[in-house]
mmCIF file of all heavy atoms in Angstrom:
data_model
loop_
_atom_site.group_PDB
_atom_site.id
_atom_site.type_symbol
_atom_site.label_atom_id
_atom_site.label_comp_id
_atom_site.label_asym_id
_atom_site.label_seq_id
_atom_site.Cartn_x
_atom_site.Cartn_y
_atom_site.Cartn_z
ATOM 1 N N VAL A 1 2.137 -12.273 2.384
ATOM 2 C CA VAL A 1 2.368 -10.846 2.533
ATOM 3 C C VAL A 1 3.366 -10.557 3.645
ATOM 4 O O VAL A 1 4.208 -9.667 3.512
ATOM 5 C CB VAL A 1 1.023 -10.099 2.777
ATOM 6 C CG1 VAL A 1 1.278 -8.647 3.127
ATOM 7 C CG2 VAL A 1 0.129 -10.220 1.551
ATOM 8 N N ILE A 2 3.315 -11.324 4.722
ATOM 9 C CA ILE A 2 4.255 -11.130 5.824
ATOM 10 C C ILE A 2 5.664 -11.505 5.401
ATOM 11 O O ILE A 2 6.638 -10.791 5.726
ATOM 12 C CB ILE A 2 3.813 -11.954 7.052
ATOM 13 C CG1 ILE A 2 2.561 -11.355 7.666
ATOM 14 C CG2 ILE A 2 4.937 -12.055 8.089
ATOM 15 C CD1 ILE A 2 1.934 -12.207 8.753
ATOM 16 N N GLU A 3 5.822 -12.592 4.665
ATOM 17 C CA GLU A 3 7.157 -13.110 4.355
ATOM 18 C C GLU A 3 7.795 -12.525 3.123
ATOM 19 O O GLU A 3 9.007 -12.452 3.007
ATOM 20 C CB GLU A 3 7.087 -14.646 4.232
ATOM 21 C CG GLU A 3 6.781 -15.321 5.552
ATOM 22 C CD GLU A 3 6.675 -16.816 5.422
ATOM 23 O OE1 GLU A 3 6.692 -17.358 4.294
ATOM 24 O OE2 GLU A 3 6.556 -17.476 6.484
ATOM 25 N N ASP A 4 6.993 -12.080 2.159
ATOM 26 C CA ASP A 4 7.520 -11.551 0.887
ATOM 27 C C ASP A 4 7.684 -10.038 1.008
ATOM 28 O O ASP A 4 6.760 -9.265 0.849
ATOM 29 C CB ASP A 4 6.555 -11.890 -0.253
ATOM 30 C CG ASP A 4 7.087 -11.517 -1.634
ATOM 31 O OD1 ASP A 4 7.929 -10.608 -1.730
ATOM 32 O OD2 ASP A 4 6.634 -12.145 -2.611
ATOM 33 N N GLU A 5 8.925 -9.608 1.308
ATOM 34 C CA GLU A 5 9.205 -8.197 1.537
ATOM 35 C C GLU A 5 8.889 -7.343 0.303
ATOM 36 O O GLU A 5 8.400 -6.224 0.431
ATOM 37 C CB GLU A 5 10.665 -7.995 1.937
ATOM 38 C CG GLU A 5 11.014 -8.544 3.318
ATOM 39 C CD GLU A 5 10.284 -7.800 4.439
ATOM 40 O OE1 GLU A 5 10.053 -6.573 4.326
ATOM 41 O OE2 GLU A 5 9.921 -8.474 5.437
ATOM 42 N N ASN A 6 9.195 -7.863 -0.887
ATOM 43 C CA ASN A 6 8.913 -7.095 -2.101
ATOM 44 C C ASN A 6 7.418 -6.887 -2.269
ATOM 45 O O ASN A 6 6.965 -5.784 -2.609
ATOM 46 C CB ASN A 6 9.483 -7.787 -3.349
ATOM 47 C CG ASN A 6 10.987 -7.681 -3.403
ATOM 48 O OD1 ASN A 6 11.576 -6.728 -2.923
ATOM 49 N ND2 ASN A 6 11.616 -8.700 -4.006
ATOM 50 N N LEU A 7 6.639 -7.930 -2.068
ATOM 51 C CA LEU A 7 5.183 -7.830 -2.173
ATOM 52 C C LEU A 7 4.663 -6.842 -1.134
ATOM 53 O O LEU A 7 3.851 -5.965 -1.442
ATOM 54 C CB LEU A 7 4.532 -9.207 -1.981
ATOM 55 C CG LEU A 7 3.018 -9.230 -1.946
ATOM 56 C CD1 LEU A 7 2.413 -8.688 -3.238
ATOM 57 C CD2 LEU A 7 2.515 -10.645 -1.655
ATOM 58 N N LYS A 8 5.133 -6.987 0.110
ATOM 59 C CA LYS A 8 4.694 -6.103 1.180
ATOM 60 C C LYS A 8 4.996 -4.648 0.850
ATOM 61 O O LYS A 8 4.136 -3.770 0.959
ATOM 62 C CB LYS A 8 5.355 -6.504 2.488
ATOM 63 C CG LYS A 8 4.882 -5.692 3.662
ATOM 64 C CD LYS A 8 5.505 -6.036 5.019
ATOM 65 C CE LYS A 8 6.438 -7.172 5.068
ATOM 66 N NZ LYS A 8 6.989 -7.438 6.401
ATOM 67 N N ASP A 9 6.222 -4.361 0.424
ATOM 68 C CA ASP A 9 6.611 -3.000 0.075
ATOM 69 C C ASP A 9 5.794 -2.445 -1.087
ATOM 70 O O ASP A 9 5.404 -1.275 -1.072
ATOM 71 C CB ASP A 9 8.109 -2.933 -0.266
ATOM 72 C CG ASP A 9 8.996 -3.162 0.953
ATOM 73 O OD1 ASP A 9 8.498 -3.024 2.080
ATOM 74 O OD2 ASP A 9 10.183 -3.466 0.751
ATOM 75 N N THR A 10 5.535 -3.289 -2.082
ATOM 76 C CA THR A 10 4.720 -2.866 -3.231
ATOM 77 C C THR A 10 3.301 -2.508 -2.794
ATOM 78 O O THR A 10 2.762 -1.478 -3.200
ATOM 79 C CB THR A 10 4.682 -3.981 -4.293
ATOM 80 O OG1 THR A 10 5.999 -4.219 -4.779
ATOM 81 C CG2 THR A 10 3.775 -3.611 -5.453
ATOM 82 N N LEU A 11 2.704 -3.339 -1.940
ATOM 83 C CA LEU A 11 1.352 -3.070 -1.469
ATOM 84 C C LEU A 11 1.305 -1.813 -0.614
ATOM 85 O O LEU A 11 0.359 -1.014 -0.722
ATOM 86 C CB LEU A 11 0.815 -4.266 -0.681
ATOM 87 C CG LEU A 11 0.567 -5.549 -1.480
ATOM 88 C CD1 LEU A 11 0.177 -6.682 -0.535
ATOM 89 C CD2 LEU A 11 -0.501 -5.328 -2.531
ATOM 90 N N ILE A 12 2.322 -1.585 0.180
ATOM 91 C CA ILE A 12 2.364 -0.367 1.003
ATOM 92 C C ILE A 12 2.441 0.867 0.131
ATOM 93 O O ILE A 12 1.701 1.826 0.323
ATOM 94 C CB ILE A 12 3.571 -0.431 1.974
ATOM 95 C CG1 ILE A 12 3.299 -1.467 3.066
ATOM 96 C CG2 ILE A 12 3.828 0.950 2.595
ATOM 97 C CD1 ILE A 12 4.511 -1.791 3.950
ATOM 98 N N GLN A 13 3.301 0.847 -0.859
ATOM 99 C CA GLN A 13 3.462 2.001 -1.762
ATOM 100 C C GLN A 13 2.167 2.243 -2.545
ATOM 101 O O GLN A 13 1.724 3.386 -2.690
ATOM 102 C CB GLN A 13 4.622 1.804 -2.700
ATOM 103 C CG GLN A 13 5.969 1.858 -2.012
ATOM 104 C CD GLN A 13 6.158 3.131 -1.187
ATOM 105 O OE1 GLN A 13 5.908 4.229 -1.650
ATOM 106 N NE2 GLN A 13 6.578 2.948 0.050
ATOM 107 N N LYS A 14 1.553 1.178 -3.052
ATOM 108 C CA LYS A 14 0.289 1.339 -3.779
ATOM 109 C C LYS A 14 -0.797 1.839 -2.850
ATOM 110 O O LYS A 14 -1.683 2.625 -3.266
ATOM 111 C CB LYS A 14 -0.117 0.026 -4.420
ATOM 112 C CG LYS A 14 0.749 -0.353 -5.621
ATOM 113 C CD LYS A 14 0.285 -1.646 -6.230
ATOM 114 C CE LYS A 14 1.129 -1.968 -7.473
ATOM 115 N NZ LYS A 14 0.643 -3.174 -8.149
ATOM 116 N N GLY A 15 -0.763 1.432 -1.600
ATOM 117 C CA GLY A 15 -1.730 1.910 -0.611
ATOM 118 C C GLY A 15 -1.592 3.410 -0.368
ATOM 119 O O GLY A 15 -2.594 4.125 -0.283
ATOM 120 N N PHE A 16 -0.355 3.899 -0.258
ATOM 121 C CA PHE A 16 -0.125 5.326 -0.069
ATOM 122 C C PHE A 16 -0.634 6.113 -1.273
ATOM 123 O O PHE A 16 -1.195 7.209 -1.095
ATOM 124 C CB PHE A 16 1.353 5.631 0.145
ATOM 125 C CG PHE A 16 1.840 5.287 1.530
ATOM 126 C CD1 PHE A 16 3.018 4.600 1.703
ATOM 127 C CD2 PHE A 16 1.143 5.682 2.665
ATOM 128 C CE1 PHE A 16 3.491 4.292 2.968
ATOM 129 C CE2 PHE A 16 1.595 5.368 3.935
ATOM 130 C CZ PHE A 16 2.764 4.680 4.089
ATOM 131 N N LEU A 17 -0.491 5.568 -2.472
ATOM 132 C CA LEU A 17 -1.020 6.251 -3.674
ATOM 133 C C LEU A 17 -2.551 6.190 -3.699
ATOM 134 O O LEU A 17 -3.216 7.179 -4.027
ATOM 135 C CB LEU A 17 -0.439 5.635 -4.941
ATOM 136 C CG LEU A 17 1.053 5.812 -5.140
ATOM 137 C CD1 LEU A 17 1.520 4.997 -6.355
ATOM 138 C CD2 LEU A 17 1.394 7.284 -5.318
ATOM 139 N N ARG A 18 -3.094 5.061 -3.330
ATOM 140 C CA ARG A 18 -4.540 4.862 -3.391
ATOM 141 C C ARG A 18 -5.283 5.760 -2.420
ATOM 142 O O ARG A 18 -6.356 6.291 -2.726
ATOM 143 C CB ARG A 18 -4.846 3.382 -3.096
ATOM 144 C CG ARG A 18 -6.275 3.007 -3.265
ATOM 145 C CD ARG A 18 -6.637 2.842 -4.710
ATOM 146 N NE ARG A 18 -8.035 2.484 -4.808
ATOM 147 C CZ ARG A 18 -8.891 3.065 -5.621
ATOM 148 N NH1 ARG A 18 -8.497 4.013 -6.435
ATOM 149 N NH2 ARG A 18 -10.148 2.713 -5.648
ATOM 150 N N VAL A 19 -4.730 5.957 -1.252
ATOM 151 C CA VAL A 19 -5.403 6.739 -0.208
ATOM 152 C C VAL A 19 -5.603 8.194 -0.635
ATOM 153 O O VAL A 19 -6.508 8.868 -0.150
ATOM 154 C CB VAL A 19 -4.638 6.642 1.137
ATOM 155 C CG1 VAL A 19 -3.373 7.484 1.111
ATOM 156 C CG2 VAL A 19 -5.510 7.024 2.300
ATOM 157 N N LYS A 20 -4.821 8.664 -1.574
ATOM 158 C CA LYS A 20 -4.957 10.032 -2.060
ATOM 159 C C LYS A 20 -6.268 10.239 -2.804
ATOM 160 O O LYS A 20 -6.706 11.380 -3.011
ATOM 161 C CB LYS A 20 -3.778 10.393 -2.982
ATOM 162 C CG LYS A 20 -2.461 10.471 -2.227
ATOM 163 C CD LYS A 20 -1.328 10.794 -3.175
ATOM 164 C CE LYS A 20 -0.005 10.781 -2.420
ATOM 165 N NZ LYS A 20 1.111 11.084 -3.305
ATOM 166 N N ASN A 21 -6.934 9.147 -3.210
ATOM 167 C CA ASN A 21 -8.216 9.250 -3.917
ATOM 168 C C ASN A 21 -9.393 9.434 -2.982
ATOM 169 O O ASN A 21 -10.526 9.587 -3.425
ATOM 170 C CB ASN A 21 -8.468 7.973 -4.746
ATOM 171 C CG ASN A 21 -7.475 7.831 -5.864
ATOM 172 O OD1 ASN A 21 -7.179 8.807 -6.546
ATOM 173 N ND2 ASN A 21 -6.963 6.648 -6.072
ATOM 174 N N PHE A 22 -9.159 9.418 -1.678
ATOM 175 C CA PHE A 22 -10.250 9.461 -0.718
ATOM 176 C C PHE A 22 -10.047 10.588 0.295
ATOM 177 O O PHE A 22 -8.930 10.906 0.644
ATOM 178 C CB PHE A 22 -10.354 8.122 0.030
ATOM 179 C CG PHE A 22 -10.532 6.950 -0.865
ATOM 180 C CD1 PHE A 22 -9.421 6.191 -1.265
ATOM 181 C CD2 PHE A 22 -11.781 6.611 -1.358
ATOM 182 C CE1 PHE A 22 -9.581 5.113 -2.122
ATOM 183 C CE2 PHE A 22 -11.944 5.537 -2.205
ATOM 184 C CZ PHE A 22 -10.833 4.773 -2.585
ATOM 185 N N SER A 23 -11.147 11.176 0.704
ATOM 186 C CA SER A 23 -11.100 12.182 1.787
ATOM 187 C C SER A 23 -12.478 12.226 2.437
ATOM 188 O O SER A 23 -13.487 11.844 1.828
ATOM 189 C CB SER A 23 -10.757 13.578 1.239
ATOM 190 O OG SER A 23 -11.846 14.117 0.516
ATOM 191 N N TRP A 24 -12.523 12.715 3.675
ATOM 192 C CA TRP A 24 -13.795 12.830 4.368
ATOM 193 C C TRP A 24 -14.690 13.841 3.669
ATOM 194 O O TRP A 24 -15.892 13.663 3.555
ATOM 195 C CB TRP A 24 -13.576 13.220 5.844
ATOM 196 C CG TRP A 24 -13.079 12.079 6.641
ATOM 197 C CD1 TRP A 24 -11.837 11.940 7.196
ATOM 198 C CD2 TRP A 24 -13.790 10.879 6.979
ATOM 199 N NE1 TRP A 24 -11.734 10.737 7.858
ATOM 200 C CE2 TRP A 24 -12.925 10.062 7.742
ATOM 201 C CE3 TRP A 24 -15.088 10.422 6.721
ATOM 202 C CZ2 TRP A 24 -13.309 8.845 8.230
ATOM 203 C CZ3 TRP A 24 -15.454 9.176 7.224
ATOM 204 C CH2 TRP A 24 -14.567 8.402 7.970
#
């Protein structure tokens, strides 16, 4: 994950989308 920039960027973008499913 640290070395593969494409993988890292993909996970970050998916994380930003995923977080929208949760709220306090």
Side-chain angles (χ1 to χ4, degrees):
V1 172
I2 289 171
E3 293 178 352
D4 186 335
E5 291 295 326
N6 287 330
L7 175 60
K8 184 180 356 181
D9 291 342
T10 298
L11 293 174
I12 290 170
Q13 291 306 312
K14 288 181 177 184
F16 283 134
L17 294 173
R18 186 77 181 131
V19 76
K20 293 178 183 179
N21 294 317
F22 303 96
S23 73
W24 285 111

